[in-house]
Amino acid sequence: MASTPPISAADTSQKQQHTITIDLTPYVPAYPVVNHEAAPQLPPDVDPASPQSIFDCFFSDEILETIAKHTNSYAEAHRKASEHARAWKPVNTTEIRVFVGVLIFM
């Protein structure tokens, strides 16, 4: 196995120059590029000016009901397993909607 020679002080004082070549030819995609309007692509029944309407696109009532149901079941399971459980009031979809909205707003 060949070993590399030690670097002397004279070797470290010399600066090495590196040449970088950059190809500046324009990129041409392999597929045709279609110019689209710069407008949101929302369903026709969604008002783009309404935050509530846009929120509802991502969080349907069924999703919020599922989150509330699992939140309540998780809380009950942990309350039964703990001696020092705090009082728990089951949450509903309105409270979950507000909570998620506050998280998004932050």
Side-chain angles (χ1 to χ4, degrees):
M1 179 186 267
S3 64
T4 58
I7 298 175
S8 67
D11 292 338
T12 58
S13 66
Q14 297 175 357
K15 294 183 180 179
Q16 294 182 352
Q17 293 184 352
H18 298 282
T19 304
I20 298 174
T21 306
I22 300 173
D23 182 14
L24 298 177
T25 56
Y27 172 74
V28 179
Y31 54 88
V33 176
V34 179
N35 291 329
H36 295 284
E37 288 183 26
Q41 302 296 318
L42 298 171
D45 59 331
V46 175
D47 178 14
S50 167
Q52 178 70 42
S53 181
I54 294 172
F55 181 91
D56 291 340
C57 288
F58 295 97
F59 295 96
S60 67
D61 289 335
E62 294 83 21
I63 290 174
L64 295 172
E65 288 170 8
T66 301
I67 293 171
K69 179 179 88 172
H70 289 285
T71 300
N72 292 329
S73 65
Y74 179 86
E76 282 301 316
H78 280 54
R79 285 186 70 235
K80 289 177 183 176
S82 174
E83 299 173 7
H84 308 289
R86 297 184 300 178
W88 175 258
K89 177 185 163 199
V91 296
N92 58 36
T93 57
T94 303
E95 293 167 330
I96 296 294
R97 180 184 304 273
V98 170
F99 178 73
V100 173
V102 168
L103 290 177
I104 292 171
F105 183 73
M106 293 180 3

